Amino acid sequence: MDLCVRALVESDLDILHEWWKAWSWPPVTNDLLPLNGLGGLMVYKDETLIAAGFLYLTNSKVGWIEWIVSNPKYREDDRKLSLELLISSLENVAKNQGCTIILSIGRNKGLLSVHKSLGYTIDDNPSFEITKKIN
């Protein structure tokens, strides 16, 4: 079967938290994710979940793709294709919502390569994530 994409569902959230932990990332709480964790997409093949990511929509024409994570146990050759499908599908959702620009942050070399292959500009000068918990 080919790679498929669908909207995230409630039962995906625990799986995504496990994937983040497996990649040594702290799990993102649902209240920090778009639509309380359902504002994203999942790529799958047959019954196997492969990769997921989220799209933040703003009050402007900017969309933000974030928290892309893949199944650490998935070792098939089509991992890169699944990430390309995920990012392209998130782009399409953003376009359909009126966005004209997509932003993302990343440091994973494989994920940066996928973005580059899809025509994203990757700045040669690294930048830093700047966060502050305010409540």
Side-chain angles (χ1 to χ4, degrees):
M1 181 174 185
D2 293 327
L3 294 170
C4 300
V5 65
R6 63 164 171 76
L8 289 171
V9 295
E10 191 78 31
S11 60
D12 293 331
L13 299 178
D14 288 337
I15 294 165
L16 297 182
H17 287 210
E18 292 304 314
W19 288 358
W20 282 319
K21 288 179 193 174
W23 289 111
S24 300
W25 299 349
V28 182
T29 59
N30 298 347
D31 62 333
L32 298 179
L33 296 168
L35 299 176
N36 204 37
L38 301 180
L41 300 175
M42 174 70 76
V43 174
Y44 64 97
K45 183 177 184 179
D46 299 322
E47 300 293 319
T48 304
L49 303 179
I50 302 170
F54 295 87
L55 175 65
Y56 290 86
L57 297 171
T58 68
N59 62 354
S60 68
K61 293 188 179 279
V62 176
W64 189 286
I65 294 175
E66 192 53 88
W67 309 117
I68 293 175
V69 64
S70 63
N71 180 343
K73 295 179 182 173
Y74 189 75
R75 299 290 180 219
E76 301 298 320
D77 292 337
D78 54 12
R79 177 184 289 275
K80 183 177 183 220
L81 288 175
S82 69
L83 292 170
E84 289 174 350
L85 175 61
L86 174 64
I87 293 168
S88 296
S89 297
L90 290 166
E91 280 180 33
N92 287 334
V93 172
K95 283 181 197 175
N96 290 336
Q97 293 296 316
C99 295
T100 57
I101 296 284
I102 294 283
L103 297 175
S104 188
I105 293 176
R107 68 177 72 114
N108 177 283
K109 291 185 189 312
L111 199 49
L112 290 173
S113 173
V114 170
H115 278 88
K116 198 169 203 169
S117 73
L118 293 172
Y120 282 73
T121 300
I122 299 176
D123 193 335
D124 290 333
N125 298 315
S127 53
F128 298 91
E129 299 162 9
I130 302 169
T131 61
K132 180 181 180 180
K133 184 171 174 141
I134 57 172
N135 193 4

